[in-house]
Amino acid sequence: AQKITQTQPGMFVQEKEAVTLDCTYDTSDPSYGLFWYKQPSSGEMIFLIYQGSYDQQNATEGRYSLNFQKARKSANLVISASQLGDSAMYFCAMREGIITGNQFYFGTGTSLTVIP
Amino acid sequence: GAGVSQSPSNKVTEKGKDVELRCDPISGHTALYWYRQSLGQGLEFLIYFQGNSAPDKSGLPSDRFSAERTGGSVSTLTIQRTQQEDSAVYLCASSLARRGEQFFGPGTRLTVL
């Protein structure tokens, strides 16, 4: 089974609107971390937001928030007030065993296009 | 502050040649990861270092691939007898051991002719 599943290969959003990028994960480890990364056309991978499995609150970082539904094993990224510069690939990732874990698992990514 | 650096940024080589890719992680980051990203694809995990040891080499695609890390810092990924299917962007990332968000380098674009 896939560790990280991103079912939306491509998404479009109107500038200034909000968009949700889906991510589901699969683990039996009670201790894990979830991450979102942005990869613009320049190729750099930019860390956006982190959610720990024991965190009670949904993570927020500026216009980014993570809709963490632990029972459903989903960690959707919400981008509010989309900007043209948000157009990029977005990758969801998981690290199992926050303290002892090593390997990161990445999803296949979602390509987001912001329409002016 | 200095981020993760990788060299060279681009490498064009002929099939059958050996190549070495270098990664300088952020100072103090104990964990170092190598990934491969083919055009338009996601990240393929290759190898992970904790300090100088590599507890997880499971992602290396063949015995032509090897990696080492010295002094808990610089890492080198070596590909021997390169094949055309090795063409990809090779990304290095480093992280602190605990929360573990990874900070990525700019990548090395490898083209095997």
Side-chain angles (χ1 to χ4, degrees):
Chain A
Q2 292 287 333
K3 287 284 188 179
I4 295 286
T5 302
Q6 295 181 254
T7 58
Q8 306 154 313
M11 290 281 286
F12 292 86
V13 64
Q14 202 74 39
E15 192 178 7
K16 300 179 185 176
E17 297 291 314
V19 63
T20 298
L21 307 184
D22 294 342
C23 173
T24 57
Y25 58 92
D26 180 31
T27 182
S28 56
D29 193 328
S31 174
Y32 53 89
L34 298 159
F35 306 79
W36 277 91
Y37 288 84
K38 172 184 178 181
Q39 187 177 42
S41 57
S42 57
E44 63 195 299
M45 290 283 284
I46 303 166
F47 165 72
L48 295 179
I49 195 167
Y50 164 83
Q51 180 85 43
S53 59
Y54 295 120
D55 292 345
Q56 296 296 313
Q57 306 270 358
N58 284 347
T60 61
E61 290 285 348
R63 294 185 299 111
Y64 304 109
S65 61
L66 200 151
N67 184 0
F68 181 44
Q69 298 187 42
K70 195 169 183 177
R72 295 181 59 188
K73 293 188 175 177
S74 75
N76 298 340
L77 177 71
V78 180
I79 306 174
S80 62
S82 297
Q83 302 172 355
L84 296 178
D86 294 335
S87 293
M89 283 290 291
Y90 288 81
F91 292 97
C92 179
M94 175 178 68
R95 182 188 187 191
E96 288 179 317
I98 291 178
I99 304 303
T100 61
N102 45 34
Q103 188 171 338
F104 271 68
Y105 302 93
F106 280 81
T108 51
T110 295
S111 176
L112 177 67
T113 302
V114 180
I115 304 166
Chain B
V4 178
S5 62
Q6 292 185 247
S7 61
S9 55
N10 277 285
K11 177 72 176 179
V12 180
T13 190
E14 294 179 346
K15 179 181 173 181
K17 300 284 189 182
D18 297 353
V19 295
E20 278 192 357
L21 313 180
R22 177 188 168 107
C23 172
D24 278 275
I26 293 172
S27 177
H29 280 196
T30 55
L32 187 148
Y33 302 76
W34 283 98
Y35 295 91
R36 179 168 71 175
Q37 187 176 30
S38 300
L39 188 63
Q41 302 297 310
L43 274 69
E44 177 188 2
F45 169 79
L46 297 178
I47 190 170
Y48 154 76
F49 287 93
Q50 181 62 41
N52 289 337
S53 64
D56 191 344
K57 304 180 183 179
S58 62
L60 294 176
S62 77
D63 58 8
R64 296 186 296 105
F65 287 72
S66 63
E68 64 175 15
R69 188 180 185 196
T70 55
S73 181
V74 172
S75 177
T76 303
L77 177 70
T78 301
I79 309 173
Q80 295 178 310
R81 305 181 302 280
T82 52
Q83 303 293 313
Q84 288 181 332
E85 60 262 29
D86 299 335
S87 296
V89 175
Y90 288 80
L91 290 165
C92 173
S94 70
S95 73
L96 289 169
R98 290 187 69 84
R99 195 174 87 167
E101 67 263 37
Q102 298 182 343
F103 295 87
F104 282 81
T108 293
R109 183 175 297 279
L110 175 66
T111 304
V112 182
L113 302 176

